[in-house]
Amino acid sequence: MDFTSNKRPDDMARITTPEQADAFIEEAVSAMRAQVGDGKVLLALSGGVDSSVVAALLIKAIGKQLVCVHVNHGLMRKGESEQVIEVFKNQMDANLVYVDATGRFLDLLAGVDEPEAKRKIIGGEFINVFAEEAAKIEGVGFLGQGTIYPDIIESEKGVKAHHNVGGLPDNLQFELVEPVKLLYKDEVRVVGRRLGLPDGMVNRQPFPGP
């Protein structure tokens, strides 16, 4: 697989079995090691499916060279931040930075009723918090992203902006590491299970959502 391409090969088989997932993991780990070398990777770890699977892949590939930043904005699912800490810090021994920014977000959202305005406030402040944490870490040359193939398709067709990188400030000049960007969501879940992530994290549905 060409991990630098944004086009999924027409003949690429859907990942549905443990064996296919294992083959993908082996290939992705090799590609990331070759790309990163002895560099550092920064990853915004939300606890959602995509970022969690990318974190697990990077931990397998480069271990402590990955720095995960989990921002608690006060709008998480119940117990979500605690699960991220338990799975990644306690079980997988990840290099995890936990930021409790609940007060910052809730203060900015106070009195705001319009949903789109709320979304922009949350997105903008998340970028501010993430940029502040990134500035504290020396020697980071790479940014891990949980981009998946539907993100690319939607961006190219004008359905919505490619949300993973579009809002990052210009001074965050990192090379992207996007190991699952040619996968669909169901494939990402299969890979996540093979990486040992808990079912509650791998099977998580978009939030908020139906």
Side-chain angles (χ1 to χ4, degrees):
M1 183 185 299
D2 182 2
F3 287 89
T4 64
S5 174
N6 283 339
K7 177 68 171 68
R8 181 180 171 112
D10 293 335
D11 61 352
M12 181 176 168
R14 199 88 166 201
I15 298 173
T16 59
T17 69
E19 293 76 18
Q20 289 171 313
D22 289 345
F24 171 81
I25 291 167
E26 183 178 352
E27 195 173 357
V29 164
S30 177
M32 287 186 292
R33 285 175 179 164
Q35 179 185 5
V36 174
D38 60 358
K40 288 183 181 179
V41 180
L42 185 66
L43 173 70
L45 176 57
S46 69
V49 181
D50 305 326
S51 68
S52 295
V53 171
V54 169
L57 281 168
L58 279 163
I59 291 167
K60 188 175 182 67
I62 60 172
K64 296 286 190 176
Q65 291 168 242
L66 170 68
V67 181
C68 298
V69 177
H70 176 69
V71 178
N72 182 355
H73 44 56
L75 304 167
M76 315 292 287
R77 300 172 180 84
K78 183 178 180 180
E80 188 163 26
S81 288
E82 290 82 358
Q83 183 186 44
V84 168
I85 293 169
E86 173 59 28
V87 171
F88 289 98
K89 189 175 184 66
N90 298 343
Q91 297 179 18
M92 304 183 77
D93 195 30
N95 190 358
L96 176 66
V97 177
Y98 171 71
V99 184
D100 186 354
T102 301
R104 288 176 59 165
F105 282 87
L106 296 185
D107 286 347
L108 289 171
L109 291 169
V112 180
D113 295 322
E114 206 276 312
E116 183 65 9
K118 289 182 180 180
R119 187 189 69 80
K120 290 180 178 178
I121 289 170
I122 294 166
E125 189 62 11
F126 179 87
I127 291 167
N128 291 337
V129 175
F130 186 73
E132 289 170 14
E133 295 303 318
K136 299 175 186 177
I137 305 167
E138 295 183 357
V140 175
F142 300 87
L143 183 68
Q145 290 280 1
T147 310
I148 63 175
Y149 201 49
D151 295 331
I152 295 173
I153 295 172
E154 290 171 346
S155 178
E156 290 177 347
K157 293 186 177 181
V159 177
K160 68 176 182 180
H162 188 186
H163 66 278
N164 285 312
V165 297
L168 292 174
D170 293 336
N171 60 349
L172 286 180
Q173 296 296 330
F174 299 137
E175 181 179 332
L176 295 180
V177 181
E178 300 176 298
V180 298
K181 70 177 180 178
L182 297 184
L183 302 190
Y184 291 99
K185 179 75 79 173
D186 59 305
E187 297 177 296
V188 176
R189 297 189 200 279
V190 176
V191 170
R193 292 187 193 99
R194 293 302 290 172
L195 288 165
L197 295 175
D199 286 344
M201 183 175 282
V202 171
N203 295 328
R204 183 161 288 159
Q205 298 300 313
F207 174 69

